[in-house]
Amino acid sequence: MDTCRVKLDAGVIGDLTPLTEANWRETGGYADLELNVDWETYRQLDEIGVFYAFVMYDGLTPIGYSFYIAAPCHPHDKTKRFAVQDTFYVIPNQRAKGAGLSLLAFVEAYLMNEGFNVITQAAKPGSGFNRVLERKGYEHTENMYLKRL
């Protein structure tokens, strides 16, 4: 398995589309929202240097991906650079093989090397990713709630 940071060109988007769809189906999406990824916004964020996309491959086949939005600092502590996870997904048959742990380790090392001090991760309640994050030293700091207006 190989992991790298990628630019979202048409080929990468084509490779990731089945994974984004699988992620949406698995996590349940939201009852009144359809998956309609705005790849152009991701590309624009990438162009201005605040978007980090990582893909894990088994040969030429993507088996996982993770996206982060970067902030030059946090409004509550301007000395810390934050990376906020937008999405994290590994196909189910690769999880028991440690692919998720490998992807997470790569992301952490890469972002630390880029000067980030803090990474925030999100996990759906009850998912196995919660346990992974706790084992890897992440603190459960808050819960997020969603309300449709």
Side-chain angles (χ1 to χ4, degrees), residues 128-147:
F129 195 46
N130 290 290
R131 292 184 301 278
V132 168
L133 293 172
E134 289 171 5
R135 282 196 318 267
K136 298 314 271 178
Y138 286 82
E139 297 175 56
H140 181 193
T141 58
E142 61 185 69
N143 294 318
M144 293 178 58
Y145 295 86
L146 178 100
K147 180 179 181 180

Side-chain angles (χ1 to χ4, degrees), residues 52-55 64-68 85 87-89 103 107 121:
Y52 289 74
F54 301 95
V55 180
Y65 70 99
S66 191
F67 296 167
Y68 293 81
Q85 180 227 91
T87 188
F88 190 104
Y89 183 73
L103 178 56
V107 166
Q121 302 282 5

